[in-house]
Amino acid sequence: MGLVNSVGSRAMRPPNPPSYGLEADGDGWRFTSPPLDYGCAAWSPQNNYANGCPIGFPGARKARSSHLAHTVTKRRSAETGRDIALLRVYSTEPSAARPTLLYSKGNSFDMGMLRYHCVQLAQLFDVDVVYYDYGGYGASSGSPSAAGTVADAKVAADYVEELGVPWSRVILYGFSLGNGPTCALAGDVLRGRGLRGVILRSGFVSGVAAGTDLVQRYAASYVPAGALPSWMDVWPNEKRCADFDAPTLVVHGSRDELLSMWHAERLLAALPEGRRAAPFFEDMGHFDVERHPAYVPRLRSFIHGETAKASAA
């Protein structure tokens, strides 16, 4: 496990220097520059690409949301001693039914690059969003660590609990590398807590398999599921999927340039039958899922339809 964690940690690539700064603001924190604008006025596809982040929903910046607010804070991990930076984007209009997305991000991004995406998610889907940076990313302290991402996710889950949000209103959203900590939360930490749902966007069956995808994509037809030794891996996602007890949407692009389609197929097959939502498998790459015209309605249906029914059952 130490060897695999070491290899995984070396593969983690936080933006250097970080794309944002935080400064103390009374009892909390605030972005140094630019301020977070709820109409996404400072966001544009061109600026996003220039900032190295292609993730975004086209058109969301056109609708200004005066009812949104945000909080930036830090919490210390009892496991690692790292200070983890967290962002909450939320509606100031109270609603007992509004879901909260707990967003676990991809490898090469930090809060400065994805904070406007969090605003977009809140705008488009009428959700509150909790985002966190892994240790060594952005304003979170320490060095990047594959094993540490799971401890960091627990800090974010504790923060959601601190906010008083019931788990029946929480949907975990994992993007790329973020599928590792997301699966750890869904299959272990939060199992049996009444979690509302899980979204696995552009996921992988294990850290080992993701790192050796070129070989595995040709061997997958005759390597049985679970053949990779999960005890060596800090992200045994396929194994953890079997323990999910919340509706789960698997999202993957058929032309994903980083993670082959078979990852998604095996994750879907590993889920308990009653927890599999209809997957979203379309002609998409790794970074352009949000620009597929059918993704917004599919995600909205899952967030406000399928998970709401399961939560009420």
Side-chain angles (χ1 to χ4, degrees):
M1 187 174 190
L3 175 61
V4 173
N5 180 44
S6 175
V7 172
S9 298
R10 286 199 299 271
M12 296 179 72
R13 300 184 303 275
N16 187 19
S19 69
Y20 71 100
L22 295 181
E23 63 183 12
D25 182 22
D27 294 332
W29 300 83
R30 68 177 179 179
F31 291 108
T32 51
S33 179
L36 185 55
D37 182 88
Y38 306 127
C40 294
W43 181 89
S44 72
Q46 292 76 19
N47 290 341
N48 222 30
Y49 281 119
N51 201 27
C53 180
I55 308 299
F57 293 98
R61 65 190 177 95
K62 295 178 182 178
R64 180 171 294 275
S65 298
S66 59
H67 62 91
L68 290 182
H70 78 278
T71 300
V72 186
T73 189
K74 292 184 180 183
R75 293 292 185 273
R76 175 157 293 187
S77 169
E79 291 185 38
T80 66
R82 306 196 298 191
D83 291 319
I84 302 303
L86 300 115
L87 167 67
R88 180 189 179 211
V89 178
Y90 61 97
S91 174
T92 57
E93 299 174 353
S95 170
R98 182 176 294 111
T100 290
L101 293 187
L102 176 48
Y103 190 103
S104 297
K105 66 176 191 62
N107 187 10
S108 303
F109 312 113
D110 66 16
M111 189 189 296
M113 302 164 78
L114 285 172
R115 56 185 175 159
Y116 295 117
H117 184 46
C118 293
V119 172
Q120 289 184 312
L121 288 166
Q123 286 177 337
L124 281 171
F125 301 104
D126 188 25
V127 295
D128 296 340
V129 180
V130 171
Y131 169 101
Y132 64 103
D133 264 343
Y134 310 129
Y137 283 74
S140 293
S141 65
S143 300
S145 161
T149 60
V150 176
D152 302 337
K154 293 177 183 177
V155 172
D158 288 344
Y159 178 60
V160 170
E161 200 160 49
E162 179 185 324
L163 294 170
V165 181
W167 294 113
S168 59
R169 282 170 45 197
V170 177
I171 298 174
L172 307 182
Y173 191 118
F175 163 49
S176 193
L177 181 147
N179 281 264
T182 292
C183 287
L185 290 180
D188 182 11
V189 179
L190 300 177
R191 177 173 168 78
R193 305 287 292 276
L195 191 64
R196 181 181 178 113
V198 183
I199 300 165
L200 303 180
R201 181 214 183 286
S202 308
F204 53 95
V205 301
S206 74
V208 171
T212 58
D213 193 10
L214 186 61
V215 174
Q216 286 293 312
R217 73 180 64 184
Y218 297 109
S221 61
Y222 60 84
V223 173
L228 293 171
S230 59
W231 54 267
M232 290 181 58
D233 205 316
V234 296
W235 296 313
N237 298 340
E238 184 177 32
K239 179 181 178 182
R240 282 174 167 149
C241 277
D243 294 326
F244 281 18
D245 58 1
T248 301
L249 172 63
V250 180
V251 177
H252 213 94
S254 59
R255 53 179 173 79
D256 191 305
E257 59 273 29
L258 299 183
L259 296 164
S260 300
M261 188 69 185
W262 62 265
H263 285 276
E265 293 167 347
R266 281 174 52 168
L267 290 175
L268 183 66
L271 291 167
E273 188 172 349
R275 303 304 180 187
R276 299 174 199 159
F280 190 74
F281 295 162
E282 298 290 344
D283 178 26
M284 308 175 294
H286 194 74
F287 299 105
D288 62 355
V289 170
E290 287 73 18
R291 292 194 290 279
H292 193 286
Y295 189 51
V296 168
R298 179 67 190 97
L299 205 54
R300 187 176 287 126
S301 173
F302 180 74
I303 290 172
H304 291 288
E306 295 150 65
T307 62
K309 292 175 184 176
S311 179

